[in-house]
Amino acid sequence: MSETAFVKEATGTEVQPRVYRRRWFILLLFSLYSGTNAFQWIQYSIISNIITRFYGVAVTTTDWLSLVYMLVYIPLIFPVTWLLDRKGLRVIAILGSTLNAVGALVKIASAEPHLFAVTMLGQTICSIAQVFILGMPSKLAATWFGPNEVSTACSIAVFGNQVGVALGFLLPPVIVPDVEDKDVVAIHLRYLFIGTAAITSALALLVILCFRARPTVPPSQAQAVFRQNNDNQTESYLSSVKQLIFSPPSLLLIISYGLLAGWIFYLYHGEILNFYPENIVEAGQIGLTMVLSGIVGSIVCGIWLDRTQIYKKTTVVIYISTLAFMVLYTATLDLGYLWVVFIASGALGFTMTGYLPLGFEFAAELTFPVSEGTSSGLLNASAQIFGIAFTLSMGQLIPASSVLGANIFLCAALLIGSILTATIKEDLKRQQANNE
């Protein structure tokens, strides 16, 4: 947008779009508490054998410490996105960061072998906090950032969550030793829980004190249009949801996003340890490699979108690349060379995580002026549904056939997603609003 462009406020006053330096602090704060929530999601899975032995529960019971994140999201996403539309970013940020801290505090009391129910309660509270977090990246970016930096901002917000996943792979095996002595495990679990609670509590306090709902002047013409529609409530929340579901382009994107992102949830949850059950440290390092390369992919894709504004072609290329690297990843798992698996995992992580901000931003373009929180929420709901389906299906497929057969099934799902993505009709409505 040129420097002479103006946007019209709801009062009728024309002002020049403006971005505030505060936007980077808001983005950093969100990325940090989002990362701690993702850390709490994955922290049990990577040491699942220790958790299962310590609490004396079945493996499937331990799995629910991860699956609860997916299960809770589905029924709560609609009321949370409605609240985001009506009350704005600040209310959602306070609720998400506070619930995240409360869940972490509850876990401190659960570091005893007979208190699995308490750790499950804490994890459930954290999973509720996740509902207030996952739909925010695209909404926060659009609210605070200009049209030439909005995709980069969205990718950084996603980046924060992925850093949390990376630390979730890295730190728990280092902090909690894999020993038979439950007293030793209890001490180190308490260290893990106390450290997490201290950080999440500090971040929740910062959010309450410093997080603002939106800047005084909108950063773009599109955001000014959205504010005017939202302030006047020209369209109901239910109408917005219907528009997303019954519009062929957005529906195709919701399904294809779920097929890829839901598969990521499954992969983080069980794929790596299925192949390396006796190599927990190496499994964590492979997962860390995948996440770190994904962080790079997320940032690269965000910067690319801002500079080129090429949405559909970029999304299709990344989706097909993910399918290709998944085939490579599957083919290398049984070779016995861990370094080959590391390389394949890194390539796969780059594309599959890089796809996440692409999906958010493409949905925002296709569905404008529907709130980015609503479109992101439906994308994430699709991912959670497919994530549960993949996790449960793989639990049946692997014993019935093989890990190879299960991965071929996942490749087929990605092939379907690639075809659906290629058929989406591109209509960049938000970009058109910015150019008017």
Side-chain angles (χ1 to χ4, degrees), residues 67-77 124 127-128 130-131:
L67 288 173
V68 69
Y69 263 63
M70 305 180 202
L71 188 64
V72 165
Y73 192 93
I74 299 167
L76 293 182
I77 183 53
T124 302
S127 70
I128 296 173
Q130 177 212 212
V131 188

Side-chain angles (χ1 to χ4, degrees), residues 50-73:
I50 300 174
I51 296 297
T52 299
R53 185 172 62 242
F54 177 75
Y55 286 110
V57 296
V59 174
T60 52
T61 303
T62 303
D63 288 345
W64 280 105
L65 290 168
S66 167
L67 288 173
V68 69
Y69 263 63
M70 305 180 202
L71 188 64
V72 165
Y73 192 93

Side-chain angles (χ1 to χ4, degrees), residues 28 154 362 373 426 436:
L28 174 63
C154 180
F362 196 17
E426 187 176 47
E436 288 178 357

